PDB file of all heavy atoms in Angstrom:
ATOM      1  N   LYS A   1       2.457  28.790 -18.730  1.00  0.00           N
ATOM      2  CA  LYS A   1       3.003  29.770 -17.782  1.00  0.00           C
ATOM      3  C   LYS A   1       2.133  29.871 -16.530  1.00  0.00           C
ATOM      4  O   LYS A   1       2.645  29.900 -15.402  1.00  0.00           O
ATOM      5  CB  LYS A   1       3.100  31.138 -18.459  1.00  0.00           C
ATOM      6  CG  LYS A   1       3.625  32.234 -17.555  1.00  0.00           C
ATOM      7  CD  LYS A   1       3.705  33.566 -18.294  1.00  0.00           C
ATOM      8  CE  LYS A   1       4.180  34.671 -17.372  1.00  0.00           C
ATOM      9  NZ  LYS A   1       4.235  35.986 -18.082  1.00  0.00           N
ATOM     10  N   GLN A   2       0.803  29.896 -16.719  1.00  0.00           N
ATOM     11  CA  GLN A   2      -0.091  30.109 -15.588  1.00  0.00           C
ATOM     12  C   GLN A   2      -0.281  28.860 -14.728  1.00  0.00           C
ATOM     13  O   GLN A   2      -0.656  28.961 -13.559  1.00  0.00           O
ATOM     14  CB  GLN A   2      -1.464  30.594 -16.096  1.00  0.00           C
ATOM     15  CG  GLN A   2      -1.428  31.898 -16.868  1.00  0.00           C
ATOM     16  CD  GLN A   2      -0.999  33.075 -16.005  1.00  0.00           C
ATOM     17  OE1 GLN A   2      -0.672  32.923 -14.826  1.00  0.00           O
ATOM     18  NE2 GLN A   2      -0.980  34.252 -16.593  1.00  0.00           N
ATOM     19  N   LEU A   3      -0.024  27.688 -15.293  1.00  0.00           N
ATOM     20  CA  LEU A   3      -0.196  26.459 -14.522  1.00  0.00           C
ATOM     21  C   LEU A   3       1.037  26.070 -13.719  1.00  0.00           C
ATOM     22  O   LEU A   3       0.982  25.151 -12.897  1.00  0.00           O
ATOM     23  CB  LEU A   3      -0.568  25.305 -15.454  1.00  0.00           C
ATOM     24  CG  LEU A   3      -1.946  25.363 -16.119  1.00  0.00           C
ATOM     25  CD1 LEU A   3      -2.157  24.160 -17.031  1.00  0.00           C
ATOM     26  CD2 LEU A   3      -3.051  25.425 -15.079  1.00  0.00           C
ATOM     27  N   GLU A   4       2.138  26.756 -13.949  1.00  0.00           N
ATOM     28  CA  GLU A   4       3.373  26.430 -13.212  1.00  0.00           C
ATOM     29  C   GLU A   4       3.154  26.581 -11.706  1.00  0.00           C
ATOM     30  O   GLU A   4       2.603  27.566 -11.235  1.00  0.00           O
ATOM     31  CB  GLU A   4       4.519  27.326 -13.675  1.00  0.00           C
ATOM     32  CG  GLU A   4       5.048  26.958 -15.053  1.00  0.00           C
ATOM     33  CD  GLU A   4       6.236  27.819 -15.434  1.00  0.00           C
ATOM     34  OE1 GLU A   4       6.593  28.733 -14.653  1.00  0.00           O
ATOM     35  OE2 GLU A   4       6.803  27.595 -16.517  1.00  0.00           O
ATOM     36  N   GLY A   5       3.585  25.587 -10.959  1.00  0.00           N
ATOM     37  CA  GLY A   5       3.482  25.629  -9.505  1.00  0.00           C
ATOM     38  C   GLY A   5       2.138  25.183  -8.958  1.00  0.00           C
ATOM     39  O   GLY A   5       1.929  25.204  -7.739  1.00  0.00           O
ATOM     40  N   CYS A   6       1.210  24.774  -9.832  1.00  0.00           N
ATOM     41  CA  CYS A   6      -0.114  24.349  -9.371  1.00  0.00           C
ATOM     42  C   CYS A   6      -0.153  22.833  -9.180  1.00  0.00           C
ATOM     43  O   CYS A   6       0.542  22.083  -9.865  1.00  0.00           O
ATOM     44  CB  CYS A   6      -1.182  24.772 -10.377  1.00  0.00           C
ATOM     45  SG  CYS A   6      -1.410  26.567 -10.477  1.00  0.00           S
ATOM     46  N   THR A   7      -0.983  22.416  -8.252  1.00  0.00           N
ATOM     47  CA  THR A   7      -1.155  20.985  -8.007  1.00  0.00           C
ATOM     48  C   THR A   7      -2.393  20.432  -8.700  1.00  0.00           C
ATOM     49  O   THR A   7      -2.560  19.213  -8.793  1.00  0.00           O
ATOM     50  CB  THR A   7      -1.259  20.706  -6.503  1.00  0.00           C
ATOM     51  OG1 THR A   7      -2.319  21.510  -5.951  1.00  0.00           O
ATOM     52  CG2 THR A   7       0.036  21.055  -5.795  1.00  0.00           C
ATOM     53  N   ALA A   8      -3.273  21.321  -9.180  1.00  0.00           N
ATOM     54  CA  ALA A   8      -4.478  20.883  -9.880  1.00  0.00           C
ATOM     55  C   ALA A   8      -4.996  22.025 -10.749  1.00  0.00           C
ATOM     56  O   ALA A   8      -4.739  23.198 -10.478  1.00  0.00           O
ATOM     57  CB  ALA A   8      -5.554  20.446  -8.893  1.00  0.00           C
ATOM     58  N   VAL A   9      -5.726  21.644 -11.794  1.00  0.00           N
ATOM     59  CA  VAL A   9      -6.405  22.627 -12.643  1.00  0.00           C
ATOM     60  C   VAL A   9      -7.867  22.216 -12.748  1.00  0.00           C
ATOM     61  O   VAL A   9      -8.189  21.033 -12.869  1.00  0.00           O
ATOM     62  CB  VAL A   9      -5.744  22.730 -14.043  1.00  0.00           C
ATOM     63  CG1 VAL A   9      -5.675  21.381 -14.731  1.00  0.00           C
ATOM     64  CG2 VAL A   9      -6.485  23.747 -14.910  1.00  0.00           C
ATOM     65  N   ILE A  10      -8.754  23.211 -12.645  1.00  0.00           N
ATOM     66  CA  ILE A  10     -10.192  22.976 -12.745  1.00  0.00           C
ATOM     67  C   ILE A  10     -10.718  23.771 -13.929  1.00  0.00           C
ATOM     68  O   ILE A  10     -10.495  24.983 -14.018  1.00  0.00           O
ATOM     69  CB  ILE A  10     -10.920  23.395 -11.453  1.00  0.00           C
ATOM     70  CG1 ILE A  10     -10.389  22.595 -10.256  1.00  0.00           C
ATOM     71  CG2 ILE A  10     -12.425  23.200 -11.597  1.00  0.00           C
ATOM     72  CD1 ILE A  10     -10.984  23.028  -8.923  1.00  0.00           C
ATOM     73  N   ASN A  11     -11.418  23.099 -14.814  1.00  0.00           N
ATOM     74  CA  ASN A  11     -11.953  23.746 -16.014  1.00  0.00           C
ATOM     75  C   ASN A  11     -13.469  23.884 -15.897  1.00  0.00           C
ATOM     76  O   ASN A  11     -14.206  22.899 -15.967  1.00  0.00           O
ATOM     77  CB  ASN A  11     -11.594  22.934 -17.258  1.00  0.00           C
ATOM     78  CG  ASN A  11     -12.153  23.548 -18.523  1.00  0.00           C
ATOM     79  OD1 ASN A  11     -12.497  24.730 -18.564  1.00  0.00           O
ATOM     80  ND2 ASN A  11     -12.245  22.759 -19.568  1.00  0.00           N
ATOM     81  N   LEU A  12     -13.931  25.134 -15.724  1.00  0.00           N
ATOM     82  CA  LEU A  12     -15.359  25.433 -15.660  1.00  0.00           C
ATOM     83  C   LEU A  12     -15.852  26.137 -16.915  1.00  0.00           C
ATOM     84  O   LEU A  12     -17.010  26.563 -16.975  1.00  0.00           O
ATOM     85  CB  LEU A  12     -15.657  26.329 -14.446  1.00  0.00           C
ATOM     86  CG  LEU A  12     -15.267  25.800 -13.066  1.00  0.00           C
ATOM     87  CD1 LEU A  12     -15.513  26.875 -12.014  1.00  0.00           C
ATOM     88  CD2 LEU A  12     -16.042  24.540 -12.722  1.00  0.00           C
ATOM     89  N   VAL A  13     -14.998  26.273 -17.919  1.00  0.00           N
ATOM     90  CA  VAL A  13     -15.322  27.076 -19.091  1.00  0.00           C
ATOM     91  C   VAL A  13     -16.360  26.371 -19.960  1.00  0.00           C
ATOM     92  O   VAL A  13     -16.243  25.177 -20.255  1.00  0.00           O
ATOM     93  CB  VAL A  13     -14.062  27.363 -19.926  1.00  0.00           C
ATOM     94  CG1 VAL A  13     -14.411  28.202 -21.160  1.00  0.00           C
ATOM     95  CG2 VAL A  13     -13.019  28.084 -19.085  1.00  0.00           C
ATOM     96  N   GLY A  14     -17.390  27.111 -20.353  1.00  0.00           N
ATOM     97  CA  GLY A  14     -18.409  26.563 -21.244  1.00  0.00           C
ATOM     98  C   GLY A  14     -19.282  27.675 -21.773  1.00  0.00           C
ATOM     99  O   GLY A  14     -19.389  28.751 -21.166  1.00  0.00           O
ATOM    100  N   ILE A  15     -19.889  27.450 -22.927  1.00  0.00           N
ATOM    101  CA  ILE A  15     -20.821  28.418 -23.508  1.00  0.00           C
ATOM    102  C   ILE A  15     -22.098  27.692 -23.914  1.00  0.00           C
ATOM    103  O   ILE A  15     -22.073  26.520 -24.265  1.00  0.00           O
ATOM    104  CB  ILE A  15     -20.210  29.141 -24.732  1.00  0.00           C
ATOM    105  CG1 ILE A  15     -19.744  28.128 -25.791  1.00  0.00           C
ATOM    106  CG2 ILE A  15     -19.069  30.050 -24.300  1.00  0.00           C
ATOM    107  CD1 ILE A  15     -19.279  28.763 -27.095  1.00  0.00           C
ATOM    108  N   LEU A  16     -23.215  28.388 -23.847  1.00  0.00           N
ATOM    109  CA  LEU A  16     -24.494  27.835 -24.284  1.00  0.00           C
ATOM    110  C   LEU A  16     -24.809  28.209 -25.719  1.00  0.00           C
ATOM    111  O   LEU A  16     -25.610  27.540 -26.376  1.00  0.00           O
ATOM    112  CB  LEU A  16     -25.624  28.319 -23.364  1.00  0.00           C
ATOM    113  CG  LEU A  16     -25.599  27.779 -21.932  1.00  0.00           C
ATOM    114  CD1 LEU A  16     -26.697  28.445 -21.105  1.00  0.00           C
ATOM    115  CD2 LEU A  16     -25.777  26.269 -21.929  1.00  0.00           C
ATOM    116  N   ASN A  17     -24.188  29.305 -26.197  1.00  0.00           N
ATOM    117  CA  ASN A  17     -24.407  29.759 -27.565  1.00  0.00           C
ATOM    118  C   ASN A  17     -23.089  30.201 -28.172  1.00  0.00           C
ATOM    119  O   ASN A  17     -22.197  30.690 -27.467  1.00  0.00           O
ATOM    120  CB  ASN A  17     -25.397  30.935 -27.597  1.00  0.00           C
ATOM    121  CG  ASN A  17     -26.788  30.535 -27.151  1.00  0.00           C
ATOM    122  OD1 ASN A  17     -27.328  29.537 -27.604  1.00  0.00           O
ATOM    123  ND2 ASN A  17     -27.364  31.310 -26.240  1.00  0.00           N
ATOM    124  N   GLU A  18     -22.977  30.049 -29.471  1.00  0.00           N
ATOM    125  CA  GLU A  18     -21.777  30.465 -30.185  1.00  0.00           C
ATOM    126  C   GLU A  18     -21.871  31.936 -30.573  1.00  0.00           C
ATOM    127  O   GLU A  18     -22.955  32.497 -30.686  1.00  0.00           O
ATOM    128  CB  GLU A  18     -21.577  29.603 -31.433  1.00  0.00           C
ATOM    129  CG  GLU A  18     -21.345  28.141 -31.124  1.00  0.00           C
ATOM    130  CD  GLU A  18     -21.192  27.297 -32.369  1.00  0.00           C
ATOM    131  OE1 GLU A  18     -22.045  27.410 -33.266  1.00  0.00           O
ATOM    132  OE2 GLU A  18     -20.208  26.518 -32.444  1.00  0.00           O
ATOM    133  N   GLY A  19     -20.699  32.543 -30.801  1.00  0.00           N
ATOM    134  CA  GLY A  19     -20.674  33.935 -31.234  1.00  0.00           C
ATOM    135  C   GLY A  19     -19.337  34.566 -30.971  1.00  0.00           C
ATOM    136  O   GLY A  19     -18.578  34.118 -30.103  1.00  0.00           O
ATOM    137  N   SER A  20     -19.017  35.609 -31.716  1.00  0.00           N
ATOM    138  CA  SER A  20     -17.786  36.399 -31.541  1.00  0.00           C
ATOM    139  C   SER A  20     -16.539  35.520 -31.526  1.00  0.00           C
ATOM    140  O   SER A  20     -15.638  35.694 -30.701  1.00  0.00           O
ATOM    141  CB  SER A  20     -17.852  37.221 -30.239  1.00  0.00           C
ATOM    142  OG  SER A  20     -18.982  38.058 -30.237  1.00  0.00           O
ATOM    143  N   GLY A  21     -16.484  34.544 -32.441  1.00  0.00           N
ATOM    144  CA  GLY A  21     -15.308  33.692 -32.546  1.00  0.00           C
ATOM    145  C   GLY A  21     -15.238  32.578 -31.522  1.00  0.00           C
ATOM    146  O   GLY A  21     -14.308  31.769 -31.536  1.00  0.00           O
ATOM    147  N   ARG A  22     -16.215  32.517 -30.633  1.00  0.00           N
ATOM    148  CA  ARG A  22     -16.238  31.474 -29.605  1.00  0.00           C
ATOM    149  C   ARG A  22     -17.217  30.392 -30.056  1.00  0.00           C
ATOM    150  O   ARG A  22     -18.434  30.545 -29.912  1.00  0.00           O
ATOM    151  CB  ARG A  22     -16.638  32.059 -28.252  1.00  0.00           C
ATOM    152  CG  ARG A  22     -15.593  33.024 -27.703  1.00  0.00           C
ATOM    153  CD  ARG A  22     -16.102  33.775 -26.479  1.00  0.00           C
ATOM    154  NE  ARG A  22     -16.280  32.911 -25.335  1.00  0.00           N
ATOM    155  CZ  ARG A  22     -15.313  32.571 -24.499  1.00  0.00           C
ATOM    156  NH1 ARG A  22     -14.080  32.997 -24.705  1.00  0.00           N
ATOM    157  NH2 ARG A  22     -15.560  31.815 -23.454  1.00  0.00           N
ATOM    158  N   THR A  23     -16.688  29.327 -30.600  1.00  0.00           N
ATOM    159  CA  THR A  23     -17.512  28.220 -31.073  1.00  0.00           C
ATOM    160  C   THR A  23     -17.507  27.096 -30.053  1.00  0.00           C
ATOM    161  O   THR A  23     -16.620  27.005 -29.195  1.00  0.00           O
ATOM    162  CB  THR A  23     -16.989  27.690 -32.411  1.00  0.00           C
ATOM    163  OG1 THR A  23     -15.684  27.098 -32.203  1.00  0.00           O
ATOM    164  CG2 THR A  23     -16.889  28.800 -33.450  1.00  0.00           C
ATOM    165  N   PHE A  24     -18.501  26.215 -30.152  1.00  0.00           N
ATOM    166  CA  PHE A  24     -18.539  25.053 -29.263  1.00  0.00           C
ATOM    167  C   PHE A  24     -17.270  24.225 -29.405  1.00  0.00           C
ATOM    168  O   PHE A  24     -16.708  23.755 -28.414  1.00  0.00           O
ATOM    169  CB  PHE A  24     -19.756  24.187 -29.593  1.00  0.00           C
ATOM    170  CG  PHE A  24     -21.079  24.807 -29.221  1.00  0.00           C
ATOM    171  CD1 PHE A  24     -22.137  24.803 -30.116  1.00  0.00           C
ATOM    172  CD2 PHE A  24     -21.278  25.377 -27.975  1.00  0.00           C
ATOM    173  CE1 PHE A  24     -23.368  25.356 -29.776  1.00  0.00           C
ATOM    174  CE2 PHE A  24     -22.501  25.940 -27.621  1.00  0.00           C
ATOM    175  CZ  PHE A  24     -23.554  25.926 -28.532  1.00  0.00           C
ATOM    176  N   GLN A  25     -16.809  24.034 -30.628  1.00  0.00           N
ATOM    177  CA  GLN A  25     -15.603  23.241 -30.865  1.00  0.00           C
ATOM    178  C   GLN A  25     -14.394  23.866 -30.174  1.00  0.00           C
ATOM    179  O   GLN A  25     -13.614  23.175 -29.509  1.00  0.00           O
ATOM    180  CB  GLN A  25     -15.342  23.118 -32.377  1.00  0.00           C
ATOM    181  CG  GLN A  25     -14.034  22.439 -32.750  1.00  0.00           C
ATOM    182  CD  GLN A  25     -13.995  20.959 -32.425  1.00  0.00           C
ATOM    183  OE1 GLN A  25     -15.039  20.296 -32.435  1.00  0.00           O
ATOM    184  NE2 GLN A  25     -12.819  20.427 -32.138  1.00  0.00           N
ATOM    185  N   ARG A  26     -14.245  25.162 -30.320  1.00  0.00           N
ATOM    186  CA  ARG A  26     -13.072  25.835 -29.751  1.00  0.00           C
ATOM    187  C   ARG A  26     -13.084  25.813 -28.223  1.00  0.00           C
ATOM    188  O   ARG A  26     -12.054  25.577 -27.586  1.00  0.00           O
ATOM    189  CB  ARG A  26     -13.014  27.279 -30.244  1.00  0.00           C
ATOM    190  CG  ARG A  26     -11.733  28.005 -29.859  1.00  0.00           C
ATOM    191  CD  ARG A  26     -11.759  29.440 -30.303  1.00  0.00           C
ATOM    192  NE  ARG A  26     -10.463  30.081 -30.108  1.00  0.00           N
ATOM    193  CZ  ARG A  26     -10.289  31.364 -29.813  1.00  0.00           C
ATOM    194  NH1 ARG A  26     -11.341  32.160 -29.683  1.00  0.00           N
ATOM    195  NH2 ARG A  26      -9.085  31.866 -29.639  1.00  0.00           N
ATOM    196  N   VAL A  27     -14.258  26.063 -27.638  1.00  0.00           N
ATOM    197  CA  VAL A  27     -14.348  26.202 -26.183  1.00  0.00           C
ATOM    198  C   VAL A  27     -14.444  24.854 -25.479  1.00  0.00           C
ATOM    199  O   VAL A  27     -13.812  24.644 -24.433  1.00  0.00           O
ATOM    200  CB  VAL A  27     -15.555  27.094 -25.813  1.00  0.00           C
ATOM    201  CG1 VAL A  27     -15.749  27.149 -24.299  1.00  0.00           C
ATOM    202  CG2 VAL A  27     -15.365  28.500 -26.371  1.00  0.00           C
ATOM    203  N   HIS A  28     -15.212  23.929 -26.028  1.00  0.00           N
ATOM    204  CA  HIS A  28     -15.477  22.663 -25.331  1.00  0.00           C
ATOM    205  C   HIS A  28     -14.507  21.548 -25.688  1.00  0.00           C
ATOM    206  O   HIS A  28     -14.389  20.575 -24.939  1.00  0.00           O
ATOM    207  CB  HIS A  28     -16.904  22.193 -25.630  1.00  0.00           C
ATOM    208  CG  HIS A  28     -17.967  23.120 -25.151  1.00  0.00           C
ATOM    209  ND1 HIS A  28     -19.266  23.110 -25.639  1.00  0.00           N
ATOM    210  CD2 HIS A  28     -17.932  24.100 -24.208  1.00  0.00           C
ATOM    211  CE1 HIS A  28     -19.972  24.037 -25.027  1.00  0.00           C
ATOM    212  NE2 HIS A  28     -19.192  24.646 -24.147  1.00  0.00           N
ATOM    213  N   VAL A  29     -13.847  21.663 -26.843  1.00  0.00           N
ATOM    214  CA  VAL A  29     -12.963  20.583 -27.285  1.00  0.00           C
ATOM    215  C   VAL A  29     -11.513  21.054 -27.396  1.00  0.00           C
ATOM    216  O   VAL A  29     -10.619  20.532 -26.716  1.00  0.00           O
ATOM    217  CB  VAL A  29     -13.432  20.003 -28.642  1.00  0.00           C
ATOM    218  CG1 VAL A  29     -12.535  18.829 -29.047  1.00  0.00           C
ATOM    219  CG2 VAL A  29     -14.887  19.565 -28.568  1.00  0.00           C
ATOM    220  N   ASP A  30     -11.283  22.069 -28.242  1.00  0.00           N
ATOM    221  CA  ASP A  30      -9.910  22.529 -28.468  1.00  0.00           C
ATOM    222  C   ASP A  30      -9.271  23.037 -27.177  1.00  0.00           C
ATOM    223  O   ASP A  30      -8.086  22.783 -26.918  1.00  0.00           O
ATOM    224  CB  ASP A  30      -9.881  23.643 -29.525  1.00  0.00           C
ATOM    225  CG  ASP A  30     -10.380  23.167 -30.889  1.00  0.00           C
ATOM    226  OD1 ASP A  30     -10.495  21.941 -31.077  1.00  0.00           O
ATOM    227  OD2 ASP A  30     -10.653  24.025 -31.749  1.00  0.00           O
ATOM    228  N   LEU A  31     -10.046  23.737 -26.355  1.00  0.00           N
ATOM    229  CA  LEU A  31      -9.497  24.251 -25.095  1.00  0.00           C
ATOM    230  C   LEU A  31      -9.093  23.108 -24.168  1.00  0.00           C
ATOM    231  O   LEU A  31      -8.061  23.189 -23.492  1.00  0.00           O
ATOM    232  CB  LEU A  31     -10.507  25.160 -24.399  1.00  0.00           C
ATOM    233  CG  LEU A  31     -10.062  25.716 -23.040  1.00  0.00           C
ATOM    234  CD1 LEU A  31      -8.784  26.543 -23.161  1.00  0.00           C
ATOM    235  CD2 LEU A  31     -11.181  26.543 -22.392  1.00  0.00           C
ATOM    236  N   VAL A  32      -9.874  22.050 -24.136  1.00  0.00           N
ATOM    237  CA  VAL A  32      -9.524  20.898 -23.288  1.00  0.00           C
ATOM    238  C   VAL A  32      -8.198  20.306 -23.735  1.00  0.00           C
ATOM    239  O   VAL A  32      -7.341  19.952 -22.903  1.00  0.00           O
ATOM    240  CB  VAL A  32     -10.646  19.839 -23.320  1.00  0.00           C
ATOM    241  CG1 VAL A  32     -10.234  18.596 -22.529  1.00  0.00           C
ATOM    242  CG2 VAL A  32     -11.937  20.415 -22.759  1.00  0.00           C
ATOM    243  N   GLU A  33      -7.993  20.192 -25.033  1.00  0.00           N
ATOM    244  CA  GLU A  33      -6.712  19.692 -25.548  1.00  0.00           C
ATOM    245  C   GLU A  33      -5.569  20.576 -25.085  1.00  0.00           C
ATOM    246  O   GLU A  33      -4.502  20.094 -24.681  1.00  0.00           O
ATOM    247  CB  GLU A  33      -6.747  19.627 -27.072  1.00  0.00           C
ATOM    248  CG  GLU A  33      -7.657  18.546 -27.625  1.00  0.00           C
ATOM    249  CD  GLU A  33      -7.607  18.480 -29.144  1.00  0.00           C
ATOM    250  OE1 GLU A  33      -7.520  19.551 -29.782  1.00  0.00           O
ATOM    251  OE2 GLU A  33      -7.634  17.351 -29.682  1.00  0.00           O
ATOM    252  N   ARG A  34      -5.777  21.899 -25.139  1.00  0.00           N
ATOM    253  CA  ARG A  34      -4.744  22.840 -24.695  1.00  0.00           C
ATOM    254  C   ARG A  34      -4.442  22.680 -23.204  1.00  0.00           C
ATOM    255  O   ARG A  34      -3.284  22.693 -22.788  1.00  0.00           O
ATOM    256  CB  ARG A  34      -5.197  24.282 -24.950  1.00  0.00           C
ATOM    257  CG  ARG A  34      -5.104  24.750 -26.401  1.00  0.00           C
ATOM    258  CD  ARG A  34      -5.721  26.138 -26.524  1.00  0.00           C
ATOM    259  NE  ARG A  34      -5.496  26.715 -27.828  1.00  0.00           N
ATOM    260  CZ  ARG A  34      -4.504  27.549 -28.121  1.00  0.00           C
ATOM    261  NH1 ARG A  34      -3.634  27.877 -27.171  1.00  0.00           N
ATOM    262  NH2 ARG A  34      -4.364  28.053 -29.324  1.00  0.00           N
ATOM    263  N   ILE A  35      -5.498  22.550 -22.411  1.00  0.00           N
ATOM    264  CA  ILE A  35      -5.317  22.415 -20.960  1.00  0.00           C
ATOM    265  C   ILE A  35      -4.529  21.155 -20.632  1.00  0.00           C
ATOM    266  O   ILE A  35      -3.577  21.178 -19.830  1.00  0.00           O
ATOM    267  CB  ILE A  35      -6.685  22.389 -20.246  1.00  0.00           C
ATOM    268  CG1 ILE A  35      -7.396  23.731 -20.396  1.00  0.00           C
ATOM    269  CG2 ILE A  35      -6.501  22.052 -18.765  1.00  0.00           C
ATOM    270  CD1 ILE A  35      -8.846  23.699 -19.936  1.00  0.00           C
ATOM    271  N   LEU A  36      -4.916  20.054 -21.241  1.00  0.00           N
ATOM    272  CA  LEU A  36      -4.245  18.785 -20.958  1.00  0.00           C
ATOM    273  C   LEU A  36      -2.776  18.833 -21.366  1.00  0.00           C
ATOM    274  O   LEU A  36      -1.896  18.373 -20.622  1.00  0.00           O
ATOM    275  CB  LEU A  36      -4.956  17.644 -21.688  1.00  0.00           C
ATOM    276  CG  LEU A  36      -6.386  17.345 -21.232  1.00  0.00           C
ATOM    277  CD1 LEU A  36      -7.041  16.339 -22.169  1.00  0.00           C
ATOM    278  CD2 LEU A  36      -6.409  16.836 -19.799  1.00  0.00           C
ATOM    279  N   ALA A  37      -2.508  19.397 -22.538  1.00  0.00           N
ATOM    280  CA  ALA A  37      -1.123  19.482 -23.009  1.00  0.00           C
ATOM    281  C   ALA A  37      -0.295  20.376 -22.099  1.00  0.00           C
ATOM    282  O   ALA A  37       0.846  20.044 -21.740  1.00  0.00           O
ATOM    283  CB  ALA A  37      -1.097  20.001 -24.441  1.00  0.00           C
ATOM    284  N   ALA A  38      -0.863  21.519 -21.718  1.00  0.00           N
ATOM    285  CA  ALA A  38      -0.128  22.453 -20.857  1.00  0.00           C
ATOM    286  C   ALA A  38       0.099  21.857 -19.475  1.00  0.00           C
ATOM    287  O   ALA A  38       1.195  21.973 -18.901  1.00  0.00           O
ATOM    288  CB  ALA A  38      -0.906  23.764 -20.744  1.00  0.00           C
ATOM    289  N   ALA A  39      -0.932  21.215 -18.914  1.00  0.00           N
ATOM    290  CA  ALA A  39      -0.803  20.638 -17.578  1.00  0.00           C
ATOM    291  C   ALA A  39       0.256  19.545 -17.541  1.00  0.00           C
ATOM    292  O   ALA A  39       1.050  19.465 -16.596  1.00  0.00           O
ATOM    293  CB  ALA A  39      -2.154  20.089 -17.124  1.00  0.00           C
ATOM    294  N   GLN A  40       0.287  18.724 -18.572  1.00  0.00           N
ATOM    295  CA  GLN A  40       1.288  17.663 -18.606  1.00  0.00           C
ATOM    296  C   GLN A  40       2.687  18.222 -18.849  1.00  0.00           C
ATOM    297  O   GLN A  40       3.666  17.690 -18.333  1.00  0.00           O
ATOM    298  CB  GLN A  40       0.913  16.644 -19.679  1.00  0.00           C
ATOM    299  CG  GLN A  40      -0.330  15.844 -19.293  1.00  0.00           C
ATOM    300  CD  GLN A  40      -0.741  14.836 -20.338  1.00  0.00           C
ATOM    301  OE1 GLN A  40      -0.168  13.745 -20.423  1.00  0.00           O
ATOM    302  NE2 GLN A  40      -1.729  15.179 -21.149  1.00  0.00           N
ATOM    303  N   ALA A  41       2.764  19.325 -19.588  1.00  0.00           N
ATOM    304  CA  ALA A  41       4.066  19.930 -19.864  1.00  0.00           C
ATOM    305  C   ALA A  41       4.717  20.463 -18.594  1.00  0.00           C
ATOM    306  O   ALA A  41       5.946  20.423 -18.450  1.00  0.00           O
ATOM    307  CB  ALA A  41       3.922  21.051 -20.890  1.00  0.00           C
ATOM    308  N   VAL A  42       3.916  20.993 -17.665  1.00  0.00           N
ATOM    309  CA  VAL A  42       4.480  21.546 -16.425  1.00  0.00           C
ATOM    310  C   VAL A  42       4.183  20.639 -15.227  1.00  0.00           C
ATOM    311  O   VAL A  42       4.324  21.048 -14.078  1.00  0.00           O
ATOM    312  CB  VAL A  42       3.954  22.977 -16.168  1.00  0.00           C
ATOM    313  CG1 VAL A  42       4.422  23.911 -17.264  1.00  0.00           C
ATOM    314  CG2 VAL A  42       2.434  23.013 -16.055  1.00  0.00           C
ATOM    315  N   GLU A  43       3.741  19.414 -15.513  1.00  0.00           N
ATOM    316  CA  GLU A  43       3.574  18.355 -14.508  1.00  0.00           C
ATOM    317  C   GLU A  43       2.542  18.699 -13.434  1.00  0.00           C
ATOM    318  O   GLU A  43       2.775  18.510 -12.236  1.00  0.00           O
ATOM    319  CB  GLU A  43       4.927  18.020 -13.875  1.00  0.00           C
ATOM    320  CG  GLU A  43       5.947  17.501 -14.891  1.00  0.00           C
ATOM    321  CD  GLU A  43       7.265  17.113 -14.255  1.00  0.00           C
ATOM    322  OE1 GLU A  43       7.559  17.596 -13.145  1.00  0.00           O
ATOM    323  OE2 GLU A  43       7.980  16.296 -14.865  1.00  0.00           O
TER     324      GLU A  43
END
């Protein structure tokens, strides 16, 4: 929904330490998969 109408997406999200449900895997890997899938879905 949020990427609709955009010409580019920039991902600056990162964490130095894990905690409160935010793991390295979720933030650095799983989120990238989500971004790529969403960006390709709305072109």
Side-chain angles (χ1 to χ4, degrees):
K1 179 180 178 181
Q2 300 295 3
L3 292 179
E4 287 183 357
C6 292
T7 55
V9 55
I10 300 176
N11 179 19
L12 302 174
V13 180
I15 56 173
L16 292 175
N17 294 312
E18 297 178 310
S20 303
R22 293 170 68 84
T23 66
F24 290 133
Q25 174 69 30
R26 188 183 188 212
V27 175
H28 297 160
V29 183
D30 298 346
L31 178 60
V32 176
E33 290 183 322
R34 283 174 172 264
I35 294 170
L36 295 172
Q40 291 179 80
V42 296
E43 299 183 339

